Amino acid sequence: MGFREKIMTREIVGNKYLDTFRTALLKRNVKSVSSVIDLIDIYMVYQKHKSDIPTSPLIVGGGSNLLFVGNYSGPVILNQIKGIQIEEDLDAWYLHVGSGESWHKLVSFTIQKGIFGMENLALIPGTVGAAPIQNIGAYGVEFKEFCDYVEVLDSDTLMLKRLCKDECQFGYRDSTFKQPQNKKLIITGVGFRISKEWKPVLSYGELSKLDPTRVTAQQIYELVIKTRKEKLPDPEHIGNAGSFFKNPIVTKEKLEFLSQKYPDMPFYPIDEKAGYDFVKLAAGWLIDKCELKGFELNGAKVHEKQALVLINANNATGKDIALLAKIVQSSVQDKFGVLLEPEVRFIGKLGEVNALKYLSKISYQND
Ligand SMILES: Cc1cc2nc3c(=O)[nH]c(=O)nc-3n(C[C@H](O)[C@H](O)[C@H](O)COP(=O)(O)OP(=O)(O)OC[C@H]3O[C@@H](n4cnc5c(N)ncnc54)[C@H](O)[C@@H]3O)c2cc1C
C-alpha cells in the first residue's frame, strides 16, 4: 500500500481548515497521529515510497503560525500525541507533555494544579510541540525558561532522542529547530522544569498595574486572558496568525538615529545572545506610524486594533495575505529603513519556503 493510499484511510473530523488564517481547506491527504509509533509507521511508509512523493510530510499542530501561499500538495501529519506526566522534588515540578497537547490547556492545567510560572503564556494558540520551535513568548516570559528537554523523532533514522535546553539554542522567536538541517526532527514530547520558587513577572503592559507583593498566579492568568481577548482577534471567528512579523532587532546607532526623528518610538532590551549593542523595536508601532491600521487588500486586512496582526477579513487567499504583508513590509522599510521579517511560516506548493525571499519576489504583476 502506497503512502498516499494509506494516509487516505483515516478521516479527520472537526475544523474545516488546516490553518488559523482559514485559507487552507483540510484535504484528504491528512493523517492524524496519536503516538510515536504512528509517526514511525508513517515515516517507514514514506521512506519506502519517497521517489513517488514530491515532498516530505508537513507536520501541523494547531496551524496557528502558518500561511499557505502555494496550494500545498504534499501529505500532512496532524499531531495529536497527548499525555501529561508529573513528577516533583523539593525544588521543582517536572512535566513530560505529549507534543500534540494544546498549549493553553497545559497552562490552565498547571495553574489548577498549583504549578505556577507559565501564567503569562496563557491563551497562546497551538500545540506544546510547536512551542520550542519559535520559543513562544508573551508578557515578558518565554517558553525557554521552563524547558528541561525536547524529545524528537529523527525522521531519517527513526531514532528518538532528547535535546537538553542548551542544545535547543533558544533565541528571540528562534531555536535550533528552525535550522534547515533540523527540519527532519519531529517534536514528540517536551520536558518542563518549573521551579517551586514562584516570582511574578509584571514588566509588560497591563500586568505592570498589579501589585507584586500581593498578586497571585491565578490573577495574572486571568488578566492575561482578558487582555488578549480584548486586543487580539479570535481565530475561531477571524482568520489570523497572531503577530505576523517579528519585532525587528536594530543596532543602538540605528535606534539613536531614529529616536531623533521619533522621540516617542518604543524599544526594548534583548537577551545577551544577540549582544548588548542591539535593541528590539516594536513592529506594531512602526506599522501603525505608516497609517496602515485597517488597510485592506483583496479581503486581507491590517487589524484595526493591532497593526502587527494581519487578518483574513473577507475570503482572502494565502497569497492575498502575503501581498498585504509585502505592502506593510515595504512601507516600514521606506519610512524607517527597517526590514520586517515574518514570524509566520510560509508553506508553498512543495513545503516550507523562505518567507523573506518569497516576499521579495511577489508583486501585483506576477500574481
Ligand atoms: C491569535 C494568535 C495569537 C498568538 N500569540 C502568540 C504569542 O503571544 N506568542 C507567540 O510566540 N506566538 C503567538 N502566536 C503564534 C502561534 O500560536 C505559535 O507560533 C504556536 O506555537 C504555533 O503552534 P501550532 O501548533 O499552531 O504550530 P503550526 O502552526 O501547526 O506549525 C508551526 C511550524 O512548526 C512546525 N511544527 C508544528 N508542530 C511540530 C512538531 N511537533 N514537530 C516539528 N515541527 C512542528 C510546523 O511544520 C510549522 O513549520 C499566536 C497565534 C495566534 C493565531
Side-chain angles (χ1 to χ4, degrees), residues 59 61-66 125-127 130 133-134 136-137 187 228 240-242:
I59 312 287
S64 62
N65 208 26
L66 296 177
T127 51
I133 297 174
Q134 71 156 5
I136 58 168
I187 297 176
R228 290 183 71 103
N240 78 94

Side-chain angles (χ1 to χ4, degrees), residues 52 74 275 303 310:
D52 308 330
H303 193 245
L310 304 189

Side-chain angles (χ1 to χ4, degrees), residues 43-101:
Y43 278 99
M44 279 171 73
V45 177
Y46 168 67
Q47 283 178 0
K48 227 167 143 192
H49 298 274
K50 223 174 181 169
S51 50
D52 308 330
I53 304 169
T55 163
S56 60
L58 173 72
I59 312 287
V60 175
S64 62
N65 208 26
L66 296 177
L67 182 68
F68 286 87
V69 291
N71 208 5
Y72 176 69
S73 57
V76 171
I77 297 176
L78 207 55
N79 179 14
Q80 305 199 318
I81 302 173
K82 301 279 166 79
I84 303 177
Q85 289 136 36
I86 308 180
E87 287 176 21
E88 65 178 304
D89 63 19
L90 277 178
D91 303 321
W93 302 94
Y94 301 88
L95 275 63
H96 179 92
V97 184
S99 59
E101 288 283 357

Side-chain angles (χ1 to χ4, degrees), residues 19 21-23 67 69 239-240 244 297-301 310-313 316-327 346 359 362:
D19 59 331
F21 262 122
R22 304 168 83 82
T23 66
L67 182 68
V69 291
N240 78 94
F244 194 92
L297 174 90
N298 298 341
K301 191 172 175 182
L310 304 189
I311 62 171
N312 179 359
T317 64
K319 273 192 182 166
D320 294 330
I321 294 163
L323 218 44
L324 175 67
K326 177 160 177 124
I327 291 171
F346 285 26
L359 288 187
I362 56 165

Side-chain angles (χ1 to χ4, degrees), residues 18 20 58-66 79 99 123-131 133-138 173 185-188 228 232-235 240-243 343 345 347 352:
L18 254 187
T20 58
L58 173 72
I59 312 287
V60 175
S64 62
N65 208 26
L66 296 177
N79 179 14
S99 59
L123 217 63
I124 298 181
T127 51
V128 168
I133 297 174
Q134 71 156 5
N135 180 28
I136 58 168
R173 298 295 178 274
L185 301 179
I186 316 301
I187 297 176
T188 53
R228 290 183 71 103
L232 292 169
D234 178 354
N240 78 94
S243 305
E343 179 179 316
R345 315 278 292 263
I347 309 298
E352 183 162 11

